[in-house]
Amino acid sequence: MDIKIQPIETSKINSVDFSNLAFGHVFTDHMFICSYANGEWKNPEIVPYGPIAFEPSARVFHYGQAVFEGMKAYKDDSDDIFLFRPDESIKRLNKSAERLAMPALPEEFFYEGLKKLLHIDTSWIKKGFGNSLYIRPFMIATEGAIAASPAKEYKFIIICSPAQSYYAGEVRVVIAEKYSRSADGGVGFAKAAGNYAAQFYPTSLAQKEGYQQVIWTDANTHEFLEEAGTMNVFFRIGDTLVTAPVNDRILDGITRKSIIQLAKDSGVTVEVRNITVTEIKEAATKGELKEIFGSGTAAVINPIKGFKHQDFTYELPELENAYATVFKEKLMNIQYNKDTDVHNWRVKV
Ligand code: COI
């Protein structure tokens, strides 16, 4: 694929403090961009990261016709660059796009664009456990017309941001009783931009009460535990790891499915099944609830220190060899090329 490259004149890398990065605030020198019009994707380009002009009537601004992905690039001690399960990301991007009536992106635009971008901005990928380059591929409807129907023109763009941890500090959650993240037949499984915007207000209410995130429950009964903030959620009851099955309300998380596999490989019993608020509160009361943690590309695995539901509050115990710690390390060892990768998840670019 012929990608036109317009390099920056002067890199801004020397102005960045890589030891003190807030998630998603600093971007690399370049971005990949291509366009869809007249039924085809074209004009792949790498250009300096910066503002782009769109018609104020572009559908993305009015109807939220936008989907995205989250990935990371890692560098090992030999300066080789790796991605983690990129095939899953392109598949999910196109599944999300289909649900939002957007055109599928050919895989080569995704892979070739991303590979070239990573090599051009390679100095932004820092070595060292915990350092990574967060990759944000996204597709937006750019056609200038406010008819409430799918656009005929789109852009697919990849921007990259050097990253360390996603959550600074401890995370405690409120279990949702009123608001919902998604509903049956909705777009909860897709990485649709609006899924995240709809979380901001209920999350801000939780934050006013001193909690950082919300555990989302099903919209019908608010009894089934589904996701935590922007992450999938796992519960350790006794020594069994339990997580909800993915369905049209829950994101098919790549970190989620990798943790399930790693836990099974380690001989841990994993139950992928519906899990209720009542069950969790009972397990907590009996002292059987040992861990709750969220998983996602940005956060990797984030322990949840406590939760609140109605007037019930609970603090999780401090554990040695917590699953959250053990599986995070196993996963990162694979991602950073420090361990064998029996499932062939790591891809060198
Ligand atoms: C990710 O974990 O990559 C996500 O897409 C969540 C995002 C809100 C940071």
Side-chain angles (χ1 to χ4, degrees), residues 117-153:
L117 182 62
L118 292 177
H119 283 286
I120 289 180
D121 279 344
T122 181
S123 49
W124 291 81
I125 315 173
K126 296 296 176 196
K127 287 192 275 206
F129 217 51
N131 292 324
S132 63
L133 188 71
Y134 185 78
I135 301 163
R136 174 52 62 86
F138 63 106
M139 191 192 292
I140 51 174
T142 52
E143 186 195 2
I146 53 167
S149 56
K152 293 194 179 67
E153 289 168 16

Side-chain angles (χ1 to χ4, degrees), residues 23 68 70 134 136 166 191 196 230 296-299:
F23 181 85
F68 71 92
Y134 185 78
R136 174 52 62 86
Y166 184 71
K191 278 189 94 69
Y196 295 77
T230 60
T297 299

Side-chain angles (χ1 to χ4, degrees), residues 41-116:
W41 285 101
K42 55 191 164 202
N43 304 334
E45 277 183 283
I46 289 181
V47 296
Y49 174 91
I52 331 171
F54 294 118
E55 299 258 356
S57 52
R59 301 287 213 293
V60 63
F61 300 134
H62 303 272
Y63 306 119
Q65 212 189 354
V67 296
F68 71 92
E69 270 302 308
M71 306 168 76
K72 278 179 178 166
Y74 312 89
K75 211 172 236 179
D76 71 2
D77 294 336
S78 318
D79 277 328
D80 286 325
I81 304 170
F82 296 92
L83 294 169
F84 185 69
R85 308 186 75 173
D87 49 324
E88 295 285 341
S89 287
I90 174 70
K91 264 196 276 171
R92 195 172 57 186
L93 179 84
N94 280 335
K95 240 176 109 182
S96 302
E98 182 183 27
R99 180 62 182 81
L100 275 277
M102 302 168 90
L105 181 81
E107 291 198 359
E108 70 267 22
F109 278 78
F110 186 87
Y111 280 122
E112 297 305 314
L114 180 54
K115 268 196 248 169
K116 192 137 248 153

